[in-house]
Amino acid sequence: MEGTTDLLSTIKAFRNVAPLEGLDQAWKWSLNPVLHFAGALTGDGARLLQTNQRGKHDESLARAVLSFAREHEKTLIGEGRYIGCADGFSAPGYAFDAVAAAVPDVHGHHKAQNPDLTAVTYIVFPAYACEFSGRETLPEAEARYTKMLHPAEIGREPVPFVKMAFDNPRTGGGSTNPGRALAYPRILLQEIPQLENSPGGFVEYENREGKIWRVEWDEGNWVLSGESGRREMTLEEVLSFTESSLR
C-alpha cells in the first residue's frame, strides 16, 4: 500500500464506515450486528491501529483504546515484538490496565480481501499487563492472540502469562513438549495439588518476568524452589504464592 492517500481511500471504502467521534483521523465500521471495528491512523499516517469488538460493543472503550495506542505507538509497535504491551491504561467500568498490539504476522486481518492493508494494520486491544512477557516467539504470540486471550471480547477476564512443564508418576500425566510451554493458569493450579503422594513428580512454571519456580512433593512435604532457594510450605501457601506470582 503506497502512502497515506491510498490507506485513507481503503479505509473510507469499508462498508458502513463513519468517522469515530472524539478522535481525529479515526473511523468506525461494522460487518454485522455482532462484529464492530474502529481504527485510527498512526502519527505518520502510514499505518492503521485497529480495534475489534465481538458481541458486546462499547464505542467509548474503542475510542479510549485507540487514543491510548496512538499515544504509546513506539512502545506498542516500535520495538520489534510480535505482541507489544503498554500499561497504565484505564477506562471507566473496566478492569483493563494495559493496551496490547498484535503485528500483521500474528493477526492476519484483511488478508483474504486486502493483503496490502494487512501489512500496515496493527490490531490493538484492551488488556492486562500480566498477560505478556515481551519475549513471545511468533508461534507463542499467535497462540496468545488467536486462542488464549479472546481480545475482541471486552468483558473478558485476565489470562496471566505462564509457561509450564510437569511430570506426575502417580497419575501418569505430564507435558510432552521439550521445556516449558504456554499454559492456562487454571491448568497450573490444577496440576500442583495432584503432586501429593507422587515422589519424583514436579510442576515447573515461568511467569511473565521470566522467573522460574518448581513445586514438588517430598516425603510428605510441599516444597517450592526458586531464585530465593528451597522452602517447605503448605499446599494453600504454594497455591496462594503461585497465583500472586502470575499477577
Side-chain angles (χ1 to χ4, degrees), residues 180-217:
R180 294 175 294 277
L182 287 175
Y184 290 97
R186 59 180 171 78
I187 301 299
L188 172 64
L189 296 170
Q190 288 171 7
E191 288 300 329
I192 289 175
Q194 295 298 318
L195 291 174
E196 188 169 6
N197 297 318
S198 182
F202 71 91
V203 172
E204 183 180 88
Y205 73 95
E206 173 186 343
N207 73 356
R208 71 185 184 98
E209 297 175 330
K211 295 180 179 178
I212 299 166
W213 290 274
R214 185 181 181 96
V215 182
E216 298 169 281
W217 170 265

PDB file of all heavy atoms in Angstrom, residues 180-217:
ATOM      1  N   ARG A 180       9.499 -25.721  28.859  1.00  0.00           N
ATOM      2  CA  ARG A 180       8.213 -25.170  29.295  1.00  0.00           C
ATOM      3  C   ARG A 180       7.429 -24.636  28.102  1.00  0.00           C
ATOM      4  O   ARG A 180       8.012 -24.079  27.177  1.00  0.00           O
ATOM      5  CB  ARG A 180       8.439 -24.053  30.316  1.00  0.00           C
ATOM      6  CG  ARG A 180       9.053 -24.541  31.624  1.00  0.00           C
ATOM      7  CD  ARG A 180       9.367 -23.390  32.558  1.00  0.00           C
ATOM      8  NE  ARG A 180      10.408 -22.514  32.035  1.00  0.00           N
ATOM      9  CZ  ARG A 180      11.711 -22.749  32.160  1.00  0.00           C
ATOM     10  NH1 ARG A 180      12.149 -23.843  32.779  1.00  0.00           N
ATOM     11  NH2 ARG A 180      12.591 -21.901  31.655  1.00  0.00           N
ATOM     12  N   ALA A 181       6.114 -24.786  28.160  1.00  0.00           N
ATOM     13  CA  ALA A 181       5.246 -24.320  27.072  1.00  0.00           C
ATOM     14  C   ALA A 181       4.100 -23.501  27.648  1.00  0.00           C
ATOM     15  O   ALA A 181       3.749 -23.632  28.825  1.00  0.00           O
ATOM     16  CB  ALA A 181       4.701 -25.504  26.279  1.00  0.00           C
ATOM     17  N   LEU A 182       3.512 -22.664  26.827  1.00  0.00           N
ATOM     18  CA  LEU A 182       2.374 -21.849  27.248  1.00  0.00           C
ATOM     19  C   LEU A 182       1.270 -22.714  27.843  1.00  0.00           C
ATOM     20  O   LEU A 182       0.980 -23.811  27.353  1.00  0.00           O
ATOM     21  CB  LEU A 182       1.804 -21.076  26.064  1.00  0.00           C
ATOM     22  CG  LEU A 182       2.609 -19.890  25.523  1.00  0.00           C
ATOM     23  CD1 LEU A 182       1.935 -19.345  24.276  1.00  0.00           C
ATOM     24  CD2 LEU A 182       2.758 -18.802  26.580  1.00  0.00           C
ATOM     25  N   ALA A 183       0.661 -22.204  28.899  1.00  0.00           N
ATOM     26  CA  ALA A 183      -0.431 -22.924  29.538  1.00  0.00           C
ATOM     27  C   ALA A 183      -1.404 -21.918  30.127  1.00  0.00           C
ATOM     28  O   ALA A 183      -1.079 -20.741  30.302  1.00  0.00           O
ATOM     29  CB  ALA A 183       0.097 -23.841  30.637  1.00  0.00           C
ATOM     30  N   TYR A 184      -2.594 -22.392  30.433  1.00  0.00           N
ATOM     31  CA  TYR A 184      -3.558 -21.568  31.154  1.00  0.00           C
ATOM     32  C   TYR A 184      -3.247 -21.656  32.645  1.00  0.00           C
ATOM     33  O   TYR A 184      -2.924 -22.735  33.154  1.00  0.00           O
ATOM     34  CB  TYR A 184      -4.979 -22.065  30.907  1.00  0.00           C
ATOM     35  CG  TYR A 184      -5.483 -21.830  29.509  1.00  0.00           C
ATOM     36  CD1 TYR A 184      -5.426 -22.838  28.548  1.00  0.00           C
ATOM     37  CD2 TYR A 184      -6.024 -20.597  29.130  1.00  0.00           C
ATOM     38  CE1 TYR A 184      -5.889 -22.635  27.265  1.00  0.00           C
ATOM     39  CE2 TYR A 184      -6.496 -20.380  27.845  1.00  0.00           C
ATOM     40  CZ  TYR A 184      -6.425 -21.399  26.915  1.00  0.00           C
ATOM     41  OH  TYR A 184      -6.881 -21.191  25.637  1.00  0.00           O
ATOM     42  N   PRO A 185      -3.371 -20.556  33.370  1.00  0.00           N
ATOM     43  CA  PRO A 185      -3.127 -20.597  34.809  1.00  0.00           C
ATOM     44  C   PRO A 185      -3.956 -21.653  35.533  1.00  0.00           C
ATOM     45  O   PRO A 185      -3.484 -22.278  36.480  1.00  0.00           O
ATOM     46  CB  PRO A 185      -3.504 -19.182  35.260  1.00  0.00           C
ATOM     47  CG  PRO A 185      -3.228 -18.327  34.070  1.00  0.00           C
ATOM     48  CD  PRO A 185      -3.620 -19.176  32.893  1.00  0.00           C
ATOM     49  N   ARG A 186      -5.177 -21.894  35.082  1.00  0.00           N
ATOM     50  CA  ARG A 186      -6.029 -22.876  35.759  1.00  0.00           C
ATOM     51  C   ARG A 186      -5.429 -24.282  35.661  1.00  0.00           C
ATOM     52  O   ARG A 186      -5.584 -25.096  36.587  1.00  0.00           O
ATOM     53  CB  ARG A 186      -7.444 -22.860  35.189  1.00  0.00           C
ATOM     54  CG  ARG A 186      -7.536 -23.148  33.705  1.00  0.00           C
ATOM     55  CD  ARG A 186      -8.984 -23.125  33.204  1.00  0.00           C
ATOM     56  NE  ARG A 186      -9.072 -23.183  31.762  1.00  0.00           N
ATOM     57  CZ  ARG A 186      -8.931 -24.282  31.043  1.00  0.00           C
ATOM     58  NH1 ARG A 186      -8.708 -25.441  31.655  1.00  0.00           N
ATOM     59  NH2 ARG A 186      -9.031 -24.251  29.726  1.00  0.00           N
ATOM     60  N   ILE A 187      -4.729 -24.573  34.555  1.00  0.00           N
ATOM     61  CA  ILE A 187      -4.090 -25.883  34.408  1.00  0.00           C
ATOM     62  C   ILE A 187      -2.946 -26.017  35.414  1.00  0.00           C
ATOM     63  O   ILE A 187      -2.785 -27.052  36.068  1.00  0.00           O
ATOM     64  CB  ILE A 187      -3.567 -26.090  32.976  1.00  0.00           C
ATOM     65  CG1 ILE A 187      -4.720 -25.985  31.971  1.00  0.00           C
ATOM     66  CG2 ILE A 187      -2.854 -27.422  32.856  1.00  0.00           C
ATOM     67  CD1 ILE A 187      -5.806 -27.022  32.168  1.00  0.00           C
ATOM     68  N   LEU A 188      -2.162 -24.957  35.542  1.00  0.00           N
ATOM     69  CA  LEU A 188      -1.078 -24.944  36.524  1.00  0.00           C
ATOM     70  C   LEU A 188      -1.626 -25.193  37.926  1.00  0.00           C
ATOM     71  O   LEU A 188      -1.099 -26.034  38.672  1.00  0.00           O
ATOM     72  CB  LEU A 188      -0.349 -23.606  36.458  1.00  0.00           C
ATOM     73  CG  LEU A 188       0.701 -23.329  37.533  1.00  0.00           C
ATOM     74  CD1 LEU A 188       1.850 -24.313  37.430  1.00  0.00           C
ATOM     75  CD2 LEU A 188       1.206 -21.887  37.419  1.00  0.00           C
ATOM     76  N   LEU A 189      -2.676 -24.481  38.283  1.00  0.00           N
ATOM     77  CA  LEU A 189      -3.233 -24.588  39.631  1.00  0.00           C
ATOM     78  C   LEU A 189      -3.934 -25.926  39.859  1.00  0.00           C
ATOM     79  O   LEU A 189      -4.055 -26.377  40.999  1.00  0.00           O
ATOM     80  CB  LEU A 189      -4.193 -23.431  39.884  1.00  0.00           C
ATOM     81  CG  LEU A 189      -3.534 -22.043  39.883  1.00  0.00           C
ATOM     82  CD1 LEU A 189      -4.587 -20.938  39.907  1.00  0.00           C
ATOM     83  CD2 LEU A 189      -2.587 -21.892  41.070  1.00  0.00           C
ATOM     84  N   GLN A 190      -4.373 -26.563  38.792  1.00  0.00           N
ATOM     85  CA  GLN A 190      -4.975 -27.895  38.914  1.00  0.00           C
ATOM     86  C   GLN A 190      -3.918 -28.980  39.099  1.00  0.00           C
ATOM     87  O   GLN A 190      -4.145 -29.956  39.829  1.00  0.00           O
ATOM     88  CB  GLN A 190      -5.804 -28.215  37.663  1.00  0.00           C
ATOM     89  CG  GLN A 190      -7.104 -27.449  37.546  1.00  0.00           C
ATOM     90  CD  GLN A 190      -7.774 -27.647  36.192  1.00  0.00           C
ATOM     91  OE1 GLN A 190      -7.337 -28.458  35.375  1.00  0.00           O
ATOM     92  NE2 GLN A 190      -8.833 -26.889  35.946  1.00  0.00           N
ATOM     93  N   GLU A 191      -2.774 -28.827  38.452  1.00  0.00           N
ATOM     94  CA  GLU A 191      -1.757 -29.869  38.482  1.00  0.00           C
ATOM     95  C   GLU A 191      -0.952 -29.884  39.775  1.00  0.00           C
ATOM     96  O   GLU A 191      -0.470 -30.938  40.187  1.00  0.00           O
ATOM     97  CB  GLU A 191      -0.816 -29.728  37.285  1.00  0.00           C
ATOM     98  CG  GLU A 191      -1.429 -30.116  35.957  1.00  0.00           C
ATOM     99  CD  GLU A 191      -1.889 -31.567  35.931  1.00  0.00           C
ATOM    100  OE1 GLU A 191      -1.272 -32.408  36.621  1.00  0.00           O
ATOM    101  OE2 GLU A 191      -2.870 -31.860  35.228  1.00  0.00           O
ATOM    102  N   ILE A 192      -0.804 -28.743  40.411  1.00  0.00           N
ATOM    103  CA  ILE A 192       0.010 -28.713  41.636  1.00  0.00           C
ATOM    104  C   ILE A 192      -0.548 -29.632  42.715  1.00  0.00           C
ATOM    105  O   ILE A 192       0.203 -30.473  43.265  1.00  0.00           O
ATOM    106  CB  ILE A 192       0.177 -27.262  42.132  1.00  0.00           C
ATOM    107  CG1 ILE A 192       1.100 -26.492  41.173  1.00  0.00           C
ATOM    108  CG2 ILE A 192       0.741 -27.244  43.552  1.00  0.00           C
ATOM    109  CD1 ILE A 192       1.245 -25.016  41.509  1.00  0.00           C
ATOM    110  N   PRO A 193      -1.840 -29.580  43.078  1.00  0.00           N
ATOM    111  CA  PRO A 193      -2.337 -30.489  44.122  1.00  0.00           C
ATOM    112  C   PRO A 193      -2.223 -31.966  43.751  1.00  0.00           C
ATOM    113  O   PRO A 193      -2.155 -32.829  44.640  1.00  0.00           O
ATOM    114  CB  PRO A 193      -3.812 -30.074  44.273  1.00  0.00           C
ATOM    115  CG  PRO A 193      -3.877 -28.677  43.761  1.00  0.00           C
ATOM    116  CD  PRO A 193      -2.886 -28.631  42.647  1.00  0.00           C
ATOM    117  N   GLN A 194      -2.192 -32.262  42.453  1.00  0.00           N
ATOM    118  CA  GLN A 194      -2.092 -33.648  42.010  1.00  0.00           C
ATOM    119  C   GLN A 194      -0.738 -34.281  42.335  1.00  0.00           C
ATOM    120  O   GLN A 194      -0.571 -35.496  42.236  1.00  0.00           O
ATOM    121  CB  GLN A 194      -2.352 -33.731  40.496  1.00  0.00           C
ATOM    122  CG  GLN A 194      -3.743 -33.339  40.055  1.00  0.00           C
ATOM    123  CD  GLN A 194      -4.815 -34.239  40.635  1.00  0.00           C
ATOM    124  OE1 GLN A 194      -4.658 -35.457  40.689  1.00  0.00           O
ATOM    125  NE2 GLN A 194      -5.908 -33.637  41.074  1.00  0.00           N
ATOM    126  N   LEU A 195       0.245 -33.465  42.742  1.00  0.00           N
ATOM    127  CA  LEU A 195       1.567 -33.995  43.081  1.00  0.00           C
ATOM    128  C   LEU A 195       1.584 -34.741  44.415  1.00  0.00           C
ATOM    129  O   LEU A 195       2.538 -35.465  44.708  1.00  0.00           O
ATOM    130  CB  LEU A 195       2.592 -32.852  43.149  1.00  0.00           C
ATOM    131  CG  LEU A 195       2.974 -32.166  41.843  1.00  0.00           C
ATOM    132  CD1 LEU A 195       3.882 -30.978  42.131  1.00  0.00           C
ATOM    133  CD2 LEU A 195       3.660 -33.147  40.894  1.00  0.00           C
ATOM    134  N   GLU A 196       0.551 -34.554  45.223  1.00  0.00           N
ATOM    135  CA  GLU A 196       0.526 -35.209  46.528  1.00  0.00           C
ATOM    136  C   GLU A 196       0.688 -36.720  46.386  1.00  0.00           C
ATOM    137  O   GLU A 196       0.047 -37.354  45.549  1.00  0.00           O
ATOM    138  CB  GLU A 196      -0.779 -34.889  47.257  1.00  0.00           C
ATOM    139  CG  GLU A 196      -0.798 -35.381  48.688  1.00  0.00           C
ATOM    140  CD  GLU A 196      -1.977 -34.832  49.465  1.00  0.00           C
ATOM    141  OE1 GLU A 196      -2.832 -34.158  48.862  1.00  0.00           O
ATOM    142  OE2 GLU A 196      -2.021 -35.074  50.681  1.00  0.00           O
ATOM    143  N   ASN A 197       1.579 -37.292  47.220  1.00  0.00           N
ATOM    144  CA  ASN A 197       1.890 -38.730  47.182  1.00  0.00           C
ATOM    145  C   ASN A 197       2.452 -39.160  45.827  1.00  0.00           C
ATOM    146  O   ASN A 197       2.227 -40.291  45.386  1.00  0.00           O
ATOM    147  CB  ASN A 197       0.647 -39.565  47.527  1.00  0.00           C
ATOM    148  CG  ASN A 197       0.161 -39.313  48.942  1.00  0.00           C
ATOM    149  OD1 ASN A 197       0.971 -39.222  49.866  1.00  0.00           O
ATOM    150  ND2 ASN A 197      -1.140 -39.184  49.108  1.00  0.00           N
ATOM    151  N   SER A 198       3.172 -38.248  45.164  1.00  0.00           N
ATOM    152  CA  SER A 198       3.807 -38.566  43.881  1.00  0.00           C
ATOM    153  C   SER A 198       5.281 -38.209  43.949  1.00  0.00           C
ATOM    154  O   SER A 198       5.725 -37.211  43.358  1.00  0.00           O
ATOM    155  CB  SER A 198       3.122 -37.809  42.738  1.00  0.00           C
ATOM    156  OG  SER A 198       3.696 -38.152  41.490  1.00  0.00           O
ATOM    157  N   PRO A 199       6.092 -38.998  44.681  1.00  0.00           N
ATOM    158  CA  PRO A 199       7.526 -38.708  44.772  1.00  0.00           C
ATOM    159  C   PRO A 199       8.182 -38.750  43.392  1.00  0.00           C
ATOM    160  O   PRO A 199       7.878 -39.613  42.570  1.00  0.00           O
ATOM    161  CB  PRO A 199       8.059 -39.828  45.677  1.00  0.00           C
ATOM    162  CG  PRO A 199       7.038 -40.918  45.591  1.00  0.00           C
ATOM    163  CD  PRO A 199       5.727 -40.240  45.415  1.00  0.00           C
ATOM    164  N   GLY A 200       9.050 -37.795  43.141  1.00  0.00           N
ATOM    165  CA  GLY A 200       9.704 -37.698  41.841  1.00  0.00           C
ATOM    166  C   GLY A 200       8.954 -36.828  40.856  1.00  0.00           C
ATOM    167  O   GLY A 200       9.492 -36.457  39.816  1.00  0.00           O
ATOM    168  N   GLY A 201       7.713 -36.503  41.176  1.00  0.00           N
ATOM    169  CA  GLY A 201       6.936 -35.629  40.301  1.00  0.00           C
ATOM    170  C   GLY A 201       7.272 -34.169  40.537  1.00  0.00           C
ATOM    171  O   GLY A 201       7.836 -33.795  41.567  1.00  0.00           O
ATOM    172  N   PHE A 202       6.910 -33.344  39.603  1.00  0.00           N
ATOM    173  CA  PHE A 202       7.174 -31.905  39.743  1.00  0.00           C
ATOM    174  C   PHE A 202       6.252 -31.111  38.839  1.00  0.00           C
ATOM    175  O   PHE A 202       5.713 -31.616  37.848  1.00  0.00           O
ATOM    176  CB  PHE A 202       8.624 -31.572  39.383  1.00  0.00           C
ATOM    177  CG  PHE A 202       8.917 -31.690  37.898  1.00  0.00           C
ATOM    178  CD1 PHE A 202       8.780 -30.588  37.048  1.00  0.00           C
ATOM    179  CD2 PHE A 202       9.295 -32.907  37.332  1.00  0.00           C
ATOM    180  CE1 PHE A 202       9.022 -30.687  35.684  1.00  0.00           C
ATOM    181  CE2 PHE A 202       9.541 -33.015  35.969  1.00  0.00           C
ATOM    182  CZ  PHE A 202       9.402 -31.908  35.150  1.00  0.00           C
ATOM    183  N   VAL A 203       6.083 -29.854  39.203  1.00  0.00           N
ATOM    184  CA  VAL A 203       5.476 -28.846  38.325  1.00  0.00           C
ATOM    185  C   VAL A 203       6.428 -27.665  38.311  1.00  0.00           C
ATOM    186  O   VAL A 203       6.782 -27.129  39.360  1.00  0.00           O
ATOM    187  CB  VAL A 203       4.094 -28.393  38.836  1.00  0.00           C
ATOM    188  CG1 VAL A 203       3.603 -27.201  38.003  1.00  0.00           C
ATOM    189  CG2 VAL A 203       3.080 -29.521  38.765  1.00  0.00           C
ATOM    190  N   GLU A 204       6.853 -27.280  37.128  1.00  0.00           N
ATOM    191  CA  GLU A 204       7.768 -26.145  36.978  1.00  0.00           C
ATOM    192  C   GLU A 204       7.074 -25.086  36.127  1.00  0.00           C
ATOM    193  O   GLU A 204       6.463 -25.418  35.113  1.00  0.00           O
ATOM    194  CB  GLU A 204       9.062 -26.596  36.302  1.00  0.00           C
ATOM    195  CG  GLU A 204      10.110 -25.505  36.156  1.00  0.00           C
ATOM    196  CD  GLU A 204      11.364 -26.028  35.472  1.00  0.00           C
ATOM    197  OE1 GLU A 204      11.409 -25.988  34.225  1.00  0.00           O
ATOM    198  OE2 GLU A 204      12.277 -26.485  36.190  1.00  0.00           O
ATOM    199  N   TYR A 205       7.164 -23.830  36.552  1.00  0.00           N
ATOM    200  CA  TYR A 205       6.495 -22.796  35.769  1.00  0.00           C
ATOM    201  C   TYR A 205       7.318 -21.506  35.729  1.00  0.00           C
ATOM    202  O   TYR A 205       8.160 -21.252  36.586  1.00  0.00           O
ATOM    203  CB  TYR A 205       5.087 -22.523  36.304  1.00  0.00           C
ATOM    204  CG  TYR A 205       5.020 -21.764  37.617  1.00  0.00           C
ATOM    205  CD1 TYR A 205       4.856 -20.373  37.630  1.00  0.00           C
ATOM    206  CD2 TYR A 205       5.098 -22.425  38.838  1.00  0.00           C
ATOM    207  CE1 TYR A 205       4.782 -19.667  38.830  1.00  0.00           C
ATOM    208  CE2 TYR A 205       5.017 -21.729  40.039  1.00  0.00           C
ATOM    209  CZ  TYR A 205       4.855 -20.352  40.029  1.00  0.00           C
ATOM    210  OH  TYR A 205       4.794 -19.652  41.206  1.00  0.00           O
ATOM    211  N   GLU A 206       7.034 -20.729  34.691  1.00  0.00           N
ATOM    212  CA  GLU A 206       7.728 -19.458  34.432  1.00  0.00           C
ATOM    213  C   GLU A 206       6.684 -18.362  34.276  1.00  0.00           C
ATOM    214  O   GLU A 206       5.709 -18.532  33.538  1.00  0.00           O
ATOM    215  CB  GLU A 206       8.550 -19.593  33.158  1.00  0.00           C
ATOM    216  CG  GLU A 206       9.208 -18.326  32.653  1.00  0.00           C
ATOM    217  CD  GLU A 206       9.891 -18.518  31.317  1.00  0.00           C
ATOM    218  OE1 GLU A 206      10.146 -19.679  30.926  1.00  0.00           O
ATOM    219  OE2 GLU A 206      10.155 -17.507  30.630  1.00  0.00           O
ATOM    220  N   ASN A 207       6.875 -17.243  34.971  1.00  0.00           N
ATOM    221  CA  ASN A 207       5.916 -16.147  34.836  1.00  0.00           C
ATOM    222  C   ASN A 207       6.378 -15.153  33.779  1.00  0.00           C
ATOM    223  O   ASN A 207       7.395 -15.346  33.113  1.00  0.00           O
ATOM    224  CB  ASN A 207       5.652 -15.473  36.184  1.00  0.00           C
ATOM    225  CG  ASN A 207       6.821 -14.622  36.670  1.00  0.00           C
ATOM    226  OD1 ASN A 207       7.894 -14.563  36.047  1.00  0.00           O
ATOM    227  ND2 ASN A 207       6.636 -13.952  37.795  1.00  0.00           N
ATOM    228  N   ARG A 208       5.645 -14.077  33.626  1.00  0.00           N
ATOM    229  CA  ARG A 208       5.931 -13.122  32.542  1.00  0.00           C
ATOM    230  C   ARG A 208       7.272 -12.421  32.712  1.00  0.00           C
ATOM    231  O   ARG A 208       7.851 -11.935  31.740  1.00  0.00           O
ATOM    232  CB  ARG A 208       4.809 -12.095  32.428  1.00  0.00           C
ATOM    233  CG  ARG A 208       4.734 -11.078  33.557  1.00  0.00           C
ATOM    234  CD  ARG A 208       3.509 -10.200  33.408  1.00  0.00           C
ATOM    235  NE  ARG A 208       3.438  -9.156  34.417  1.00  0.00           N
ATOM    236  CZ  ARG A 208       3.823  -7.901  34.223  1.00  0.00           C
ATOM    237  NH1 ARG A 208       4.329  -7.533  33.051  1.00  0.00           N
ATOM    238  NH2 ARG A 208       3.711  -7.011  35.185  1.00  0.00           N
ATOM    239  N   GLU A 209       7.774 -12.353  33.943  1.00  0.00           N
ATOM    240  CA  GLU A 209       9.065 -11.719  34.192  1.00  0.00           C
ATOM    241  C   GLU A 209      10.234 -12.660  33.948  1.00  0.00           C
ATOM    242  O   GLU A 209      11.388 -12.271  34.101  1.00  0.00           O
ATOM    243  CB  GLU A 209       9.109 -11.203  35.630  1.00  0.00           C
ATOM    244  CG  GLU A 209       8.082 -10.121  35.910  1.00  0.00           C
ATOM    245  CD  GLU A 209       8.073  -9.714  37.367  1.00  0.00           C
ATOM    246  OE1 GLU A 209       8.391 -10.568  38.227  1.00  0.00           O
ATOM    247  OE2 GLU A 209       7.765  -8.534  37.645  1.00  0.00           O
ATOM    248  N   GLY A 210       9.940 -13.916  33.583  1.00  0.00           N
ATOM    249  CA  GLY A 210      10.991 -14.893  33.343  1.00  0.00           C
ATOM    250  C   GLY A 210      11.468 -15.589  34.601  1.00  0.00           C
ATOM    251  O   GLY A 210      12.431 -16.354  34.560  1.00  0.00           O
ATOM    252  N   LYS A 211      10.803 -15.354  35.723  1.00  0.00           N
ATOM    253  CA  LYS A 211      11.161 -16.042  36.963  1.00  0.00           C
ATOM    254  C   LYS A 211      10.584 -17.452  36.946  1.00  0.00           C
ATOM    255  O   LYS A 211       9.461 -17.668  36.495  1.00  0.00           O
ATOM    256  CB  LYS A 211      10.642 -15.263  38.172  1.00  0.00           C
ATOM    257  CG  LYS A 211      11.301 -13.899  38.329  1.00  0.00           C
ATOM    258  CD  LYS A 211      10.747 -13.152  39.535  1.00  0.00           C
ATOM    259  CE  LYS A 211      11.424 -11.795  39.698  1.00  0.00           C
ATOM    260  NZ  LYS A 211      10.869 -11.036  40.848  1.00  0.00           N
ATOM    261  N   ILE A 212      11.364 -18.405  37.468  1.00  0.00           N
ATOM    262  CA  ILE A 212      11.007 -19.816  37.375  1.00  0.00           C
ATOM    263  C   ILE A 212      10.901 -20.422  38.775  1.00  0.00           C
ATOM    264  O   ILE A 212      11.766 -20.187  39.629  1.00  0.00           O
ATOM    265  CB  ILE A 212      12.061 -20.589  36.548  1.00  0.00           C
ATOM    266  CG1 ILE A 212      12.125 -20.014  35.126  1.00  0.00           C
ATOM    267  CG2 ILE A 212      11.729 -22.080  36.505  1.00  0.00           C
ATOM    268  CD1 ILE A 212      13.335 -20.467  34.345  1.00  0.00           C
ATOM    269  N   TRP A 213       9.829 -21.178  38.972  1.00  0.00           N
ATOM    270  CA  TRP A 213       9.640 -21.896  40.231  1.00  0.00           C
ATOM    271  C   TRP A 213       9.322 -23.356  39.950  1.00  0.00           C
ATOM    272  O   TRP A 213       8.787 -23.691  38.885  1.00  0.00           O
ATOM    273  CB  TRP A 213       8.505 -21.286  41.051  1.00  0.00           C
ATOM    274  CG  TRP A 213       8.821 -19.941  41.619  1.00  0.00           C
ATOM    275  CD1 TRP A 213       9.467 -19.659  42.797  1.00  0.00           C
ATOM    276  CD2 TRP A 213       8.510 -18.677  41.040  1.00  0.00           C
ATOM    277  NE1 TRP A 213       9.577 -18.302  42.972  1.00  0.00           N
ATOM    278  CE2 TRP A 213       8.991 -17.672  41.919  1.00  0.00           C
ATOM    279  CE3 TRP A 213       7.862 -18.279  39.866  1.00  0.00           C
ATOM    280  CZ2 TRP A 213       8.854 -16.323  41.664  1.00  0.00           C
ATOM    281  CZ3 TRP A 213       7.720 -16.934  39.597  1.00  0.00           C
ATOM    282  CH2 TRP A 213       8.213 -15.969  40.494  1.00  0.00           C
ATOM    283  N   ARG A 214       9.657 -24.201  40.935  1.00  0.00           N
ATOM    284  CA  ARG A 214       9.414 -25.640  40.815  1.00  0.00           C
ATOM    285  C   ARG A 214       8.732 -26.128  42.095  1.00  0.00           C
ATOM    286  O   ARG A 214       9.180 -25.830  43.204  1.00  0.00           O
ATOM    287  CB  ARG A 214      10.747 -26.369  40.605  1.00  0.00           C
ATOM    288  CG  ARG A 214      10.647 -27.869  40.335  1.00  0.00           C
ATOM    289  CD  ARG A 214      12.051 -28.431  40.184  1.00  0.00           C
ATOM    290  NE  ARG A 214      12.067 -29.859  39.908  1.00  0.00           N
ATOM    291  CZ  ARG A 214      12.162 -30.391  38.691  1.00  0.00           C
ATOM    292  NH1 ARG A 214      12.264 -29.591  37.640  1.00  0.00           N
ATOM    293  NH2 ARG A 214      12.192 -31.705  38.524  1.00  0.00           N
ATOM    294  N   VAL A 215       7.646 -26.861  41.940  1.00  0.00           N
ATOM    295  CA  VAL A 215       6.898 -27.402  43.067  1.00  0.00           C
ATOM    296  C   VAL A 215       7.047 -28.923  43.070  1.00  0.00           C
ATOM    297  O   VAL A 215       6.905 -29.567  42.023  1.00  0.00           O
ATOM    298  CB  VAL A 215       5.402 -27.024  42.984  1.00  0.00           C
ATOM    299  CG1 VAL A 215       4.651 -27.569  44.196  1.00  0.00           C
ATOM    300  CG2 VAL A 215       5.225 -25.514  42.872  1.00  0.00           C
ATOM    301  N   GLU A 216       7.336 -29.486  44.255  1.00  0.00           N
ATOM    302  CA  GLU A 216       7.498 -30.931  44.386  1.00  0.00           C
ATOM    303  C   GLU A 216       6.863 -31.405  45.691  1.00  0.00           C
ATOM    304  O   GLU A 216       6.679 -30.631  46.635  1.00  0.00           O
ATOM    305  CB  GLU A 216       8.980 -31.305  44.386  1.00  0.00           C
ATOM    306  CG  GLU A 216       9.727 -30.945  43.110  1.00  0.00           C
ATOM    307  CD  GLU A 216      11.222 -31.099  43.260  1.00  0.00           C
ATOM    308  OE1 GLU A 216      11.850 -30.206  43.850  1.00  0.00           O
ATOM    309  OE2 GLU A 216      11.753 -32.131  42.788  1.00  0.00           O
ATOM    310  N   TRP A 217       6.528 -32.696  45.723  1.00  0.00           N
ATOM    311  CA  TRP A 217       6.071 -33.367  46.940  1.00  0.00           C
ATOM    312  C   TRP A 217       7.233 -34.229  47.432  1.00  0.00           C
ATOM    313  O   TRP A 217       7.678 -35.134  46.742  1.00  0.00           O
ATOM    314  CB  TRP A 217       4.843 -34.218  46.632  1.00  0.00           C
ATOM    315  CG  TRP A 217       4.410 -35.134  47.733  1.00  0.00           C
ATOM    316  CD1 TRP A 217       4.739 -36.451  47.893  1.00  0.00           C
ATOM    317  CD2 TRP A 217       3.560 -34.811  48.834  1.00  0.00           C
ATOM    318  NE1 TRP A 217       4.161 -36.961  49.009  1.00  0.00           N
ATOM    319  CE2 TRP A 217       3.418 -35.970  49.611  1.00  0.00           C
ATOM    320  CE3 TRP A 217       2.903 -33.644  49.236  1.00  0.00           C
ATOM    321  CZ2 TRP A 217       2.646 -36.027  50.769  1.00  0.00           C
ATOM    322  CZ3 TRP A 217       2.142 -33.684  50.383  1.00  0.00           C
ATOM    323  CH2 TRP A 217       2.013 -34.847  51.133  1.00  0.00           C
TER     324      TRP A 217
END
